[in-house]
Amino acid sequence: MNNKVIIIGCGNVGMSYAYALLNQRTNVGELVLIDLDRNRVEGEVMDLNHCLAFAPSKIDIKPGDYNDCKDAKIVVIAAGANQNPGETRMDLINKNSKIFKSIVTSVVKSGFQGIFLVATNPLDVMTYLTWKYSGFDTSKVIGSGTSLDTARLKYLVGEKLGVNPKNIHAYVVGEHGDSEFVPWSNVNVGLQNINSFLSKDELTEIHEEVKNAAYKIIDRKGATYYGIGMCLVRITNAILGDEDTIITVSSYDSKNDIYMGIPSILNKEGVKSRIYIELTKEEEEKLQHSVDIIKEAIDRIDYDR
Ligand code: NAD
């Protein structure tokens, strides 16, 4: 089966995803790039195609338009403005919500029946808008959520303890933004809770580091993109490989009518289910805070309901 993936928005994030896809043995057979800047897309396609001689698998890569979405399995949206130094993700809401309506309706008009995967910030709000504008089932609309924050957390805990990040069982949950948090009561190194290894102050320091990672990177190099590129590949593989893998994507929370980062099971249907997390009272309050922030942001946008 020729698994076709479309990238809309071929800037730092879109192209880091494309390059990471090319460097991993995925089962993506066809990759189509769409951007307002058609010239850039042509250049990117040439550059990627020149990697094929040394790539682990063959991918058919070409520039495209919205008609190409018709028979795609996944449409990844990474179009729109990114944060300037000092800007929060929520500050992007007006710029990015405007372009999403035309992008999502154009994709749907093509006859697309696959899965939307959103990377644009403010992530949870843009994922919600994609769901609203598409009219798709909630399971078919996914945001990268706190997958990147979770990867950052695993790395930092692993570094501190000298353990491979893959053996750190931890999730960042909530908004992909300033109100995200780590439910430490659920974080394990191997089989043992993190509290056996690190003090409360050390955990707070790690949480701050995770939360502020994007700001620090943006201050130093203007944008963040490799990390999210890898997260998008991981999510793509979970979907195309029908993996039933748990990733903290932004998925639909029917109780609050929002999208938010929660460990969710992913397979070829999209989000199979969200995983219930046992939280302490303090963690429940933090989760509610994230819900309130996202809800308030959605209520502020002027979109056709
Ligand atoms: P960028 O400026 O490098 O690229 C954005 C691209 O979108 C540009 O090529 C632009 O031409 C294109 N674009 C704009 N409007 C478009 C439209 N209507 N149709 C098609 N293409 C359009 O930005 P970037 O650094 O790649 O960041 C993209 C988004 O990803 C930002 O919102 C950023 O905040 C977000 N981001 C998310 C995460 C995450 O964890 N989800 C991580 C990093 C960045």
Side-chain angles (χ1 to χ4, degrees):
M1 191 170 300
N2 193 21
N3 287 320
K4 184 179 187 180
V5 170
I6 310 280
I7 303 177
I8 302 174
C10 299
N12 297 313
V13 171
M15 293 320 299
S16 297
Y17 167 61
Y19 190 58
L21 268 183
L22 203 54
N23 276 288
Q24 295 193 28
R25 194 174 292 282
T26 69
N27 51 6
V28 174
E30 207 178 332
L31 185 61
V32 178
L33 307 189
I34 301 176
D35 195 286
L36 284 181
D37 185 346
R38 179 82 189 179
N39 241 349
R40 173 168 186 174
V41 165
E42 282 174 7
E44 295 289 7
V45 167
M46 288 163 75
D47 207 359
L48 289 177
N49 274 329
H50 300 162
C51 305
L52 282 175
F54 304 121
S57 49
K58 169 91 172 66
I59 305 182
D60 184 9
I61 306 167
K62 58 176 195 193
D65 58 37
Y66 285 102
N67 292 325
D68 290 292
C69 300
K70 185 178 170 20
D71 56 348
K73 288 277 164 48
I74 303 176
V75 165
V76 176
I77 311 180
N82 61 12
Q83 293 162 266
N84 287 317
E87 249 185 338
T88 70
R89 295 176 179 99
M90 279 298 184
D91 290 335
L92 304 172
I93 199 164
N94 291 330
K95 289 181 211 161
N96 289 345
S97 58
K98 284 202 182 83
I99 64 167
F100 259 54
K101 184 168 188 187
S102 74
I103 290 177
V104 174
T105 50
S106 303
V107 173
V108 172
K109 221 164 116 196
S110 74
F112 174 65
Q113 292 187 327
I115 292 168
F116 278 103
L117 173 54
V118 178
T120 302
N121 280 318
L123 191 277
D124 303 289
V125 179
M126 291 304 127
T127 309
Y128 182 88
L129 285 184
T130 301
W131 170 57
K132 278 286 172 194
Y133 291 143
S134 65
F136 276 27
D137 191 274
T138 52
S139 62
K140 307 281 183 208
V141 179
I142 302 171
S144 60
T146 40
S147 58
L148 175 57
D149 319 81
T150 295
R152 287 171 174 156
L153 172 66
K154 285 171 180 247
Y155 164 73
L156 289 168
V157 173
E159 268 291 290
K160 185 105 186 153
L161 297 177
V163 174
N164 190 311
K166 288 184 177 148
N167 300 122
I168 309 298
H169 308 294
Y171 299 101
V172 177
V173 298
E175 177 206 4
H176 172 57
D178 297 342
S179 70
E180 70 187 28
F181 72 101
V182 183
W184 292 110
S185 60
N186 288 277
V187 174
N188 289 326
V189 180
L191 287 174
Q192 229 172 325
N193 187 268
I194 189 80
N195 290 311
S196 315
F197 301 95
L198 296 175
S199 68
K200 209 164 184 282
D201 284 351
E202 286 171 311
L203 298 184
T204 306
E205 205 178 293
I206 289 175
H207 174 234
E208 287 299 310
E209 193 67 22
V210 169
K211 200 171 56 138
N212 296 325
Y215 294 114
K216 283 190 164 181
I217 297 171
I218 290 165
D219 271 349
R220 286 159 175 79
K221 57 177 263 189
T224 90
Y225 34 91
Y226 299 134
I228 181 62
M230 288 290 274
C231 292
L232 294 170
V233 172
R234 188 67 206 87
I235 297 167
T236 301
N237 286 341
I239 295 168
L240 296 181
D242 198 21
E243 287 184 7
D244 287 329
T245 287
I246 299 172
I247 303 178
T248 41
V249 292
S250 188
S251 55
Y252 186 64
D253 168 355
S254 55
K255 182 171 151 242
N256 295 299
D257 185 32
I258 58 167
Y259 269 78
M260 187 170 69
I262 288 287
S264 307
I265 303 177
L266 297 184
N267 64 20
K268 69 174 174 1
E269 304 303 333
V271 176
K272 181 167 142 186
S273 58
R274 304 176 105 216
I275 303 282
Y276 171 77
I277 332 170
E278 188 91 38
L279 296 174
T280 64
K281 193 156 177 1
E282 193 189 337
E283 289 165 353
E284 261 173 28
E285 283 167 10
K286 287 181 178 164
L287 192 67
Q288 187 57 47
H289 179 54
S290 251
V291 168
D292 294 343
I293 299 260
I294 297 168
K295 225 176 161 30
E296 194 261 326
I298 289 170
D299 288 345
R300 253 192 301 139
I301 316 169
D302 184 21
Y303 71 92
D304 304 332
R305 284 154 209 263

